[in-house]
Amino acid sequence: MKHFAIAFVLVIIVTVLVILGLSALDLVPQLASAEGEFVDQMFDVQIYIIAFIFSLIVVLMLYSVVVFRRKPGDTSDGPHITGNTSLEITWTLIPLAVVIGIGIWGAGHLYEITASEPDEMVVEVTGFQFGWRFDYPEHGVSSSELYLPRGRQILFKITSTDVIHSFWVPEFRIKQDAVPGRWTELRVTPTEVGDYRIRCAELCGYAHTTMYAPVVVVEPDEFEAWLTGQAVERPPSEDLSPAELGAQLVEEQGCLSCHSLDGSELVGPTWLGIFGAERQMEDGSTLVADEQYLRASILEPQSQVVAGYPNIMPAAYSFLSDEELDGIVEYIKTLSE
Ligand code: CUA
């Protein structure tokens, strides 16, 4: 009985220390969504349970090793123990009850997290190798940045153009797969104004680790102003010069998540100074980046891979019209002037 009392006290002390230690680690970033509160509650309870089970096992084991070790000169056999049915039933039933309890609790939270509020706003999210595009169908706005108003529920409708990605903003806590050929849903109510970042949480290829997009949560009036500004900034394409049309397209199509405009190294070659330059190909040949070269690079990227870069650009841009292709080529030319 004395041993049980001492071990019990030690288990409680170690449990508290483990909880304090894990809490000090800042395992999750600042919380910025209403739905995330449920996740954090459950995460905290999990930490408590994990700390207790860890302490129970480690304390009892170390206590037995130290206190019940063989005394010097003792060569007798230990007691022959064949089993303990009531102990085995106990350590089966208690974890079973804990796991079922967490399951029921989690299902209740999941129901609340996915429930629709009447004034929710739809944002369509398209993941692609290797970036994100956002459409606001109720407002006719597209963006490469995810702007959101604080305090309003957002219904994200998520899809992908190529492979499976996963939409994840750690500050919002919850995530959802982006699957080609179907729309998945996720509801988030941002609660804190701030700048965050989407990460892709599904291994999706060469530049998976850099598949980011900015998230900006602002007050509702500021959000309205941003929407209005986006609509004004995008006049109909017939009013644009070819280079202006190209500048708009490369932003919308996400080209800039792999190609920089300022010479910095991303997954693909920078466009700065590319027009008219000699390009060293993977197969050892040399090409001059003229208009024909740029068009072919967009339409059939696998046909001419620049040395030192992976052959990963999707051949997914044949939907671009001649006019749009010309626009992109004209825009890339302006980066060599
Ligand atoms: Cu997209 Cu990982």
mmCIF file of all heavy atoms in Angstrom, residues 63-86:
data_model
loop_
_atom_site.group_PDB
_atom_site.id
_atom_site.type_symbol
_atom_site.label_atom_id
_atom_site.label_comp_id
_atom_site.label_asym_id
_atom_site.label_seq_id
_atom_site.Cartn_x
_atom_site.Cartn_y
_atom_site.Cartn_z
ATOM 1 N N TYR A 63 10.161 3.296 -10.933
ATOM 2 C CA TYR A 63 9.996 3.018 -9.499
ATOM 3 C C TYR A 63 10.291 1.545 -9.215
ATOM 4 O O TYR A 63 11.023 1.204 -8.279
ATOM 5 C CB TYR A 63 8.567 3.376 -9.076
ATOM 6 C CG TYR A 63 8.330 3.292 -7.578
ATOM 7 C CD1 TYR A 63 8.625 4.372 -6.746
ATOM 8 C CD2 TYR A 63 7.814 2.133 -6.997
ATOM 9 C CE1 TYR A 63 8.413 4.301 -5.384
ATOM 10 C CE2 TYR A 63 7.600 2.052 -5.628
ATOM 11 C CZ TYR A 63 7.906 3.142 -4.832
ATOM 12 O OH TYR A 63 7.698 3.069 -3.477
ATOM 13 N N SER A 64 9.765 0.656 -10.035
ATOM 14 C CA SER A 64 9.993 -0.785 -9.842
ATOM 15 C C SER A 64 11.455 -1.128 -10.050
ATOM 16 O O SER A 64 12.034 -1.924 -9.288
ATOM 17 C CB SER A 64 9.134 -1.587 -10.831
ATOM 18 O OG SER A 64 7.793 -1.209 -10.701
ATOM 19 N N VAL A 65 12.070 -0.559 -11.056
ATOM 20 C CA VAL A 65 13.480 -0.848 -11.335
ATOM 21 C C VAL A 65 14.343 -0.458 -10.141
ATOM 22 O O VAL A 65 15.246 -1.206 -9.738
ATOM 23 C CB VAL A 65 13.930 -0.091 -12.607
ATOM 24 C CG1 VAL A 65 15.449 -0.092 -12.727
ATOM 25 C CG2 VAL A 65 13.298 -0.712 -13.839
ATOM 26 N N VAL A 66 14.044 0.697 -9.543
ATOM 27 C CA VAL A 66 14.899 1.183 -8.444
ATOM 28 C C VAL A 66 14.555 0.486 -7.127
ATOM 29 O O VAL A 66 15.430 -0.058 -6.447
ATOM 30 C CB VAL A 66 14.739 2.719 -8.302
ATOM 31 C CG1 VAL A 66 15.504 3.219 -7.061
ATOM 32 C CG2 VAL A 66 15.256 3.415 -9.549
ATOM 33 N N VAL A 67 13.261 0.461 -6.768
ATOM 34 C CA VAL A 67 12.872 0.007 -5.419
ATOM 35 C C VAL A 67 12.917 -1.522 -5.301
ATOM 36 O O VAL A 67 13.297 -2.052 -4.255
ATOM 37 C CB VAL A 67 11.471 0.553 -5.064
ATOM 38 C CG1 VAL A 67 11.000 0.002 -3.706
ATOM 39 C CG2 VAL A 67 11.492 2.065 -5.037
ATOM 40 N N PHE A 68 12.538 -2.231 -6.346
ATOM 41 C CA PHE A 68 12.456 -3.697 -6.262
ATOM 42 C C PHE A 68 13.651 -4.387 -6.907
ATOM 43 O O PHE A 68 13.567 -5.536 -7.328
ATOM 44 C CB PHE A 68 11.152 -4.195 -6.904
ATOM 45 C CG PHE A 68 9.924 -3.588 -6.286
ATOM 46 C CD1 PHE A 68 9.086 -2.773 -7.018
ATOM 47 C CD2 PHE A 68 9.619 -3.820 -4.942
ATOM 48 C CE1 PHE A 68 7.958 -2.219 -6.446
ATOM 49 C CE2 PHE A 68 8.494 -3.258 -4.362
ATOM 50 C CZ PHE A 68 7.658 -2.449 -5.113
ATOM 51 N N ARG A 69 14.784 -3.675 -7.023
ATOM 52 C CA ARG A 69 15.946 -4.309 -7.664
ATOM 53 C C ARG A 69 16.519 -5.407 -6.747
ATOM 54 O O ARG A 69 16.272 -5.417 -5.537
ATOM 55 C CB ARG A 69 17.004 -3.271 -8.002
ATOM 56 C CG ARG A 69 17.724 -2.689 -6.797
ATOM 57 C CD ARG A 69 18.628 -1.540 -7.225
ATOM 58 N NE ARG A 69 19.391 -1.016 -6.101
ATOM 59 C CZ ARG A 69 18.909 -0.197 -5.183
ATOM 60 N NH1 ARG A 69 17.638 0.197 -5.237
ATOM 61 N NH2 ARG A 69 19.672 0.224 -4.195
ATOM 62 N N ARG A 70 17.280 -6.297 -7.328
ATOM 63 C CA ARG A 70 17.873 -7.421 -6.577
ATOM 64 C C ARG A 70 18.895 -6.873 -5.570
ATOM 65 O O ARG A 70 19.748 -6.068 -5.920
ATOM 66 C CB ARG A 70 18.555 -8.353 -7.583
ATOM 67 C CG ARG A 70 19.058 -9.633 -6.997
ATOM 68 C CD ARG A 70 19.984 -10.316 -7.987
ATOM 69 N NE ARG A 70 19.272 -10.849 -9.150
ATOM 70 C CZ ARG A 70 18.785 -12.095 -9.210
ATOM 71 N NH1 ARG A 70 18.917 -12.907 -8.191
ATOM 72 N NH2 ARG A 70 18.177 -12.504 -10.295
ATOM 73 N N LYS A 71 18.781 -7.340 -4.321
ATOM 74 C CA LYS A 71 19.736 -6.895 -3.290
ATOM 75 C C LYS A 71 21.042 -7.669 -3.462
ATOM 76 O O LYS A 71 21.030 -8.801 -3.955
ATOM 77 C CB LYS A 71 19.169 -7.176 -1.886
ATOM 78 C CG LYS A 71 17.794 -6.559 -1.611
ATOM 79 C CD LYS A 71 17.875 -5.050 -1.429
ATOM 80 C CE LYS A 71 16.516 -4.420 -1.170
ATOM 81 N NZ LYS A 71 15.542 -4.587 -2.254
ATOM 82 N N PRO A 72 22.168 -7.088 -3.045
ATOM 83 C CA PRO A 72 23.453 -7.804 -3.185
ATOM 84 C C PRO A 72 23.398 -9.138 -2.435
ATOM 85 O O PRO A 72 22.916 -9.191 -1.296
ATOM 86 C CB PRO A 72 24.466 -6.854 -2.523
ATOM 87 C CG PRO A 72 23.811 -5.509 -2.498
ATOM 88 C CD PRO A 72 22.346 -5.740 -2.451
ATOM 89 N N GLY A 73 23.836 -10.202 -3.056
ATOM 90 C CA GLY A 73 23.872 -11.516 -2.419
ATOM 91 C C GLY A 73 22.609 -12.322 -2.564
ATOM 92 O O GLY A 73 22.582 -13.505 -2.231
ATOM 93 N N ASP A 74 21.540 -11.711 -3.093
ATOM 94 C CA ASP A 74 20.261 -12.421 -3.246
ATOM 95 C C ASP A 74 20.284 -13.178 -4.565
ATOM 96 O O ASP A 74 20.298 -12.578 -5.631
ATOM 97 C CB ASP A 74 19.115 -11.390 -3.229
ATOM 98 C CG ASP A 74 17.765 -12.054 -3.433
ATOM 99 O OD1 ASP A 74 17.726 -13.297 -3.527
ATOM 100 O OD2 ASP A 74 16.755 -11.328 -3.510
ATOM 101 N N THR A 75 20.293 -14.510 -4.514
ATOM 102 C CA THR A 75 20.342 -15.302 -5.748
ATOM 103 C C THR A 75 19.066 -16.109 -5.941
ATOM 104 O O THR A 75 18.986 -16.962 -6.817
ATOM 105 C CB THR A 75 21.542 -16.275 -5.733
ATOM 106 O OG1 THR A 75 21.460 -17.059 -4.544
ATOM 107 C CG2 THR A 75 22.859 -15.524 -5.768
ATOM 108 N N SER A 76 18.024 -15.821 -5.119
ATOM 109 C CA SER A 76 16.791 -16.603 -5.228
ATOM 110 C C SER A 76 15.984 -16.174 -6.461
ATOM 111 O O SER A 76 16.203 -15.096 -7.011
ATOM 112 C CB SER A 76 15.945 -16.395 -3.966
ATOM 113 O OG SER A 76 15.580 -15.030 -3.873
ATOM 114 N N ASP A 77 15.052 -17.023 -6.914
ATOM 115 C CA ASP A 77 14.178 -16.692 -8.038
ATOM 116 C C ASP A 77 13.118 -15.686 -7.585
ATOM 117 O O ASP A 77 12.736 -15.649 -6.418
ATOM 118 C CB ASP A 77 13.465 -17.943 -8.553
ATOM 119 C CG ASP A 77 14.422 -18.824 -9.334
ATOM 120 O OD1 ASP A 77 15.455 -18.289 -9.794
ATOM 121 O OD2 ASP A 77 14.137 -20.028 -9.447
ATOM 122 N N GLY A 78 12.613 -14.910 -8.554
ATOM 123 C CA GLY A 78 11.491 -14.018 -8.256
ATOM 124 C C GLY A 78 10.214 -14.822 -8.166
ATOM 125 O O GLY A 78 10.174 -16.003 -8.552
ATOM 126 N N PRO A 79 9.115 -14.207 -7.664
ATOM 127 C CA PRO A 79 7.829 -14.919 -7.598
ATOM 128 C C PRO A 79 7.330 -15.256 -8.997
ATOM 129 O O PRO A 79 7.569 -14.512 -9.950
ATOM 130 C CB PRO A 79 6.906 -13.916 -6.895
ATOM 131 C CG PRO A 79 7.553 -12.592 -7.078
ATOM 132 C CD PRO A 79 9.018 -12.822 -7.177
ATOM 133 N N HIS A 80 6.650 -16.392 -9.142
ATOM 134 C CA HIS A 80 6.119 -16.837 -10.438
ATOM 135 C C HIS A 80 4.713 -16.253 -10.628
ATOM 136 O O HIS A 80 3.777 -16.651 -9.952
ATOM 137 C CB HIS A 80 6.107 -18.362 -10.484
ATOM 138 C CG HIS A 80 5.619 -18.896 -11.790
ATOM 139 N ND1 HIS A 80 6.327 -18.702 -12.961
ATOM 140 C CD2 HIS A 80 4.507 -19.589 -12.111
ATOM 141 C CE1 HIS A 80 5.653 -19.264 -13.949
ATOM 142 N NE2 HIS A 80 4.549 -19.814 -13.455
ATOM 143 N N ILE A 81 4.592 -15.299 -11.547
ATOM 144 C CA ILE A 81 3.293 -14.635 -11.762
ATOM 145 C C ILE A 81 2.740 -15.073 -13.110
ATOM 146 O O ILE A 81 3.426 -14.975 -14.126
ATOM 147 C CB ILE A 81 3.452 -13.103 -11.734
ATOM 148 C CG1 ILE A 81 4.000 -12.664 -10.367
ATOM 149 C CG2 ILE A 81 2.132 -12.404 -12.020
ATOM 150 C CD1 ILE A 81 4.413 -11.219 -10.305
ATOM 151 N N THR A 82 1.511 -15.584 -13.153
ATOM 152 C CA THR A 82 0.939 -16.077 -14.417
ATOM 153 C C THR A 82 -0.009 -15.086 -15.058
ATOM 154 O O THR A 82 -0.320 -15.186 -16.227
ATOM 155 C CB THR A 82 0.173 -17.395 -14.190
ATOM 156 O OG1 THR A 82 -0.742 -17.195 -13.111
ATOM 157 C CG2 THR A 82 1.139 -18.512 -13.841
ATOM 158 N N GLY A 83 -0.495 -14.107 -14.350
ATOM 159 C CA GLY A 83 -1.437 -13.156 -14.954
ATOM 160 C C GLY A 83 -2.306 -12.532 -13.896
ATOM 161 O O GLY A 83 -2.292 -12.933 -12.729
ATOM 162 N N ASN A 84 -3.078 -11.532 -14.316
ATOM 163 C CA ASN A 84 -3.979 -10.848 -13.392
ATOM 164 C C ASN A 84 -5.192 -10.394 -14.185
ATOM 165 O O ASN A 84 -5.178 -9.359 -14.848
ATOM 166 C CB ASN A 84 -3.264 -9.656 -12.746
ATOM 167 C CG ASN A 84 -4.108 -9.026 -11.661
ATOM 168 O OD1 ASN A 84 -5.336 -9.032 -11.727
ATOM 169 N ND2 ASN A 84 -3.445 -8.488 -10.643
ATOM 170 N N THR A 85 -6.245 -11.254 -14.161
ATOM 171 C CA THR A 85 -7.404 -11.019 -15.038
ATOM 172 C C THR A 85 -8.075 -9.669 -14.763
ATOM 173 O O THR A 85 -8.404 -8.936 -15.700
ATOM 174 C CB THR A 85 -8.421 -12.161 -14.866
ATOM 175 O OG1 THR A 85 -7.728 -13.391 -15.021
ATOM 176 C CG2 THR A 85 -9.508 -12.063 -15.922
ATOM 177 N N SER A 86 -8.255 -9.332 -13.486
ATOM 178 C CA SER A 86 -8.980 -8.084 -13.215
ATOM 179 C C SER A 86 -8.171 -6.875 -13.701
ATOM 180 O O SER A 86 -8.733 -5.904 -14.228
ATOM 181 C CB SER A 86 -9.330 -7.959 -11.738
ATOM 182 O OG SER A 86 -8.238 -8.357 -10.956
#
